[in-house]
């Protein structure tokens, strides 16, 4: 029984990861007050209040923006890219 619960838990975690997409790019514009990030390719993302933006995000920074796979406009995370 214990193995079954562990297997189901692992499957649930892996399926959650499959529901995420990521967009990489260079920041063209960042409006801190409204939490809007625009990339050089023209894509624009409004980051919800509950998602943290690293303080190093600025024009020219390379970022990775995670979005929900079922809704590419729903930002779930912002990280700096190397």
């Amino acid at each position: 029984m214990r193995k079954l619960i562990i297997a189901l838990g692992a499957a649930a975690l892996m399926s959650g990861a499959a529901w995420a997409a990521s967009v990489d790019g260079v920041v063209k514009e960042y409006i801190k007050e409204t939490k809007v990030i625009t990339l050089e390719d023209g894509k624009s993302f409004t980051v919800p209040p509950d998602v943290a933006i690293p303080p190093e995000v600025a024009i020219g920074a390379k970022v990775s923006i995670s979005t929900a796979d079922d809704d590419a406009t729903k930002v779930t995370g912002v990280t700096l890219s190397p």
Side-chain angles (χ1 to χ4, degrees), residues 11-36:
L13 288 175
M14 286 188 278
S15 67
W19 287 99
S22 180
V23 177
D24 297 325
V26 177
V27 177
K28 177 180 178 183
E29 182 179 22
Y30 172 48
I31 304 171
K32 200 174 219 178
E33 295 78 21
T34 58
K35 295 182 83 171
V36 174

Side-chain angles (χ1 to χ4, degrees), residues 13-79:
L13 288 175
M14 286 188 278
S15 67
W19 287 99
S22 180
V23 177
D24 297 325
V26 177
V27 177
K28 177 180 178 183
E29 182 179 22
Y30 172 48
I31 304 171
K32 200 174 219 178
E33 295 78 21
T34 58
K35 295 182 83 171
V36 174
I37 298 173
T38 303
L39 303 179
E40 286 184 342
D41 66 1
K43 294 179 184 169
S44 185
F45 300 90
T46 301
V47 182
D50 61 328
V51 175
I53 297 175
E56 300 85 6
V57 171
I59 294 172
K62 293 180 182 179
V63 295
S64 180
I65 299 175
S66 301
T67 61
D69 196 36
D70 60 339
D71 183 359
T73 63
K74 183 178 180 186
V75 176
T76 58
V78 178
T79 57

